[in-house]
Amino acid sequence: MDYKYDTDFWAGNAARKIWDDIVPGEPRKTIPYTLTKEAIYKLCHATGDMNPLYVDEDYAKTTKWGGIIAPPSIHVLLMFSCTPNDDWMRSPGTINAGQSWSYNIPARPGDVITLHARALDKFIKGDRLFAVHDNVFFNQNNEVICSGRGWTIRPM
Amino acid sequence: MENKFDITEGQRIEGTPFCPTRETIWEFCEASLDYNPLHWDDEYMKSNFGKTNFGGIIMHGMSNFSLITKMMTDWALPQGGIHRRLETRWKAPVKPGDTITPSGTVKKVKPTEKANWVVVTVQVKNQQDAVVAEGEAMVEFPH
C-alpha cells in the first residue's frame, strides 16, 4: 500500500457514505495492492490455516502450482487493502450478515491485485438497513481471482 | 492428485475446532486490516445495535468463513478437488472463550461435461452445539 492505512475506523467516518447515500450500481473507489508472502502468512496464522502450500515455499514448489499461493479466503484481506479509508465498508458498526464467494485462480505473492466493486443493491428488512456488496478481484494479467457478494447491516 | 473419484452423497466432512480469544481476534484485525470496533472496543460494545446488544466484543464473521474454507480445502485438495464456492450466513455471534467447529455433508454430486461438482452443506457450531454459521460450498473435481 502506498497510502497511509488508517486503523482507526472512527477517523474520517463523517466522510463515509451512510445507507441513504449509497447508490446501487455506482462503482466504488479502489486501490491496487501488491500481495506479499508476509501478508499471506499473517492471515494464515490468524485463521489457523497453516497449510504448507500457503506458507512453505520449498513444499509449494513441489506442487502443481510451483510456488506459494494464497488461501481462498485471502479476499478477507483484499477487501480492505484494495479500498481507501473513506470506503463505507469501514463504517464502525457495519455488521456482516452473510457472504458468497466464487474462486477462479489463486492469488500469489507478487500479484498486483485490483478490485472492481460496487453496491449492487440496498434494502430494508424489519428495522435494519442492508447493503449488498458486489466485488471482483483481478490479478495483473486481468485474470479473475475471485468474485463475491457480501450482505451487511448498515450502522444507524 | 490422480485419485479415483469416489465421493458420495451423505458423506461427512469434519473441520478443525478453533478457540477464539481476544488475542486471536486482534491478530485477525491486523492480518485482515478489519479494525471495526465490534471486534476490539469493549466500551463501544456496551451500546445497542438496533434491538441487539452483543454484550461484548465479537469475532469477525470472516474468521468463521476462513475456518470453513480451510475445512473445504483440506478435504478437497488431497483428493484432486478444488474449492470453488462458499456461501454463508451468520446465525449467532462468536465470542472470546467459545470453541467453534465446522462440519459439512455432501448434499449433491453433479457430473458435468468437464468435472464432477460436489455441493456440500456446511455449518459451524459452538461448544453449546448452537449453529453460529451455515451455508453451502461447491468443490470441482475435474475429469
Side-chain angles (χ1 to χ4, degrees), chain A residues 72 75 101-105 145-146, chain B residues 65 69 83-86:
Chain A
H75 54 82
W101 286 84
S102 283
Y103 304 109
N104 184 41
I105 60 168
I145 294 168
C146 58
Chain B
F65 196 93
T69 61
H83 177 29
R84 286 295 189 201
R85 184 175 185 273
L86 178 60

Side-chain angles (χ1 to χ4, degrees), chain A residues 5 7 9 42 45-49 54 65 77 80 93-94 96-104 127-128, chain B residues 27-28 31-38 44 51-52 62 65-66 69-70 73 77 84-88 90:
Chain A
Y5 191 94
T7 61
F9 280 15
K42 264 176 90 169
H45 195 268
T47 56
D49 190 357
Y54 311 140
W65 289 278
L77 163 68
F80 286 91
T94 297
N96 189 345
Q99 297 274 326
S100 168
W101 286 84
S102 283
Y103 304 109
N104 184 41
D127 286 325
R128 291 168 166 169
Chain B
E27 189 186 351
F28 192 89
S32 68
L33 303 178
D34 181 353
Y35 293 91
N36 191 316
L38 292 166
Y44 176 67
K51 291 172 184 161
T52 307
M62 295 315 278
F65 196 93
S66 305
T69 61
K70 169 179 158 49
T73 304
L77 265 188
R84 286 295 189 201
R85 184 175 185 273
L86 178 60
E87 176 179 354
T88 58
W90 318 127

Side-chain angles (χ1 to χ4, degrees), chain A residues 43-116:
Chain A
L43 189 70
C44 288
H45 195 268
T47 56
D49 190 357
M50 298 297 277
N51 190 319
L53 185 55
Y54 311 140
V55 298
D56 181 344
E57 189 66 56
D58 289 338
Y59 169 80
K61 275 184 183 156
T62 68
T63 69
K64 67 176 177 181
W65 289 278
I68 280 179
I69 62 170
S73 56
I74 194 70
H75 54 82
V76 173
L77 163 68
L78 298 178
M79 280 310 308
F80 286 91
S81 51
C82 287
T83 48
N85 290 320
D86 64 356
D87 189 88
W88 44 272
M89 196 178 51
R90 285 169 174 70
S91 305
T94 297
I95 293 172
N96 189 345
Q99 297 274 326
S100 168
W101 286 84
S102 283
Y103 304 109
N104 184 41
I105 60 168
R108 291 168 169 271
D111 275 358
V112 180
I113 296 169
T114 51
L115 166 64
H116 293 191

Side-chain angles (χ1 to χ4, degrees), chain A residues 19 22-28 88 100 116-123 130-136 148-152:
Chain A
W19 185 85
I22 293 170
V23 178
E26 188 176 74
R28 280 153 65 193
W88 44 272
S100 168
H116 293 191
R118 68 191 74 233
L120 191 68
D121 195 9
K122 67 178 186 181
F123 60 92
F130 281 81
V132 182
H133 309 230
D134 180 55
N135 318 289
V136 186
R149 285 187 190 163
W151 286 257
T152 62

Side-chain angles (χ1 to χ4, degrees), chain B residues 62-135:
Chain B
M62 295 315 278
S63 190
N64 245 320
F65 196 93
S66 305
L67 197 63
I68 305 171
T69 61
K70 169 179 158 49
M71 173 180 76
M72 293 312 304
T73 304
D74 287 352
W75 178 76
L77 265 188
Q79 307 183 79
I82 305 160
H83 177 29
R84 286 295 189 201
R85 184 175 185 273
L86 178 60
E87 176 179 354
T88 58
R89 294 168 296 280
W90 318 127
K91 307 303 287 182
V94 177
K95 296 183 173 180
D98 284 351
T99 299
I100 52 173
T101 309
S103 64
T105 306
V106 175
K107 179 180 165 188
K108 179 81 185 166
V109 176
K110 176 73 179 169
T112 61
E113 211 160 303
K114 295 186 173 175
N116 282 305
W117 286 84
V118 176
V119 181
V120 179
T121 303
V122 296
Q123 59 179 12
V124 181
K125 285 183 171 179
N126 67 14
Q127 68 280 6
Q128 279 140 6
D129 216 32
V131 175
V132 298
E134 62 182 19

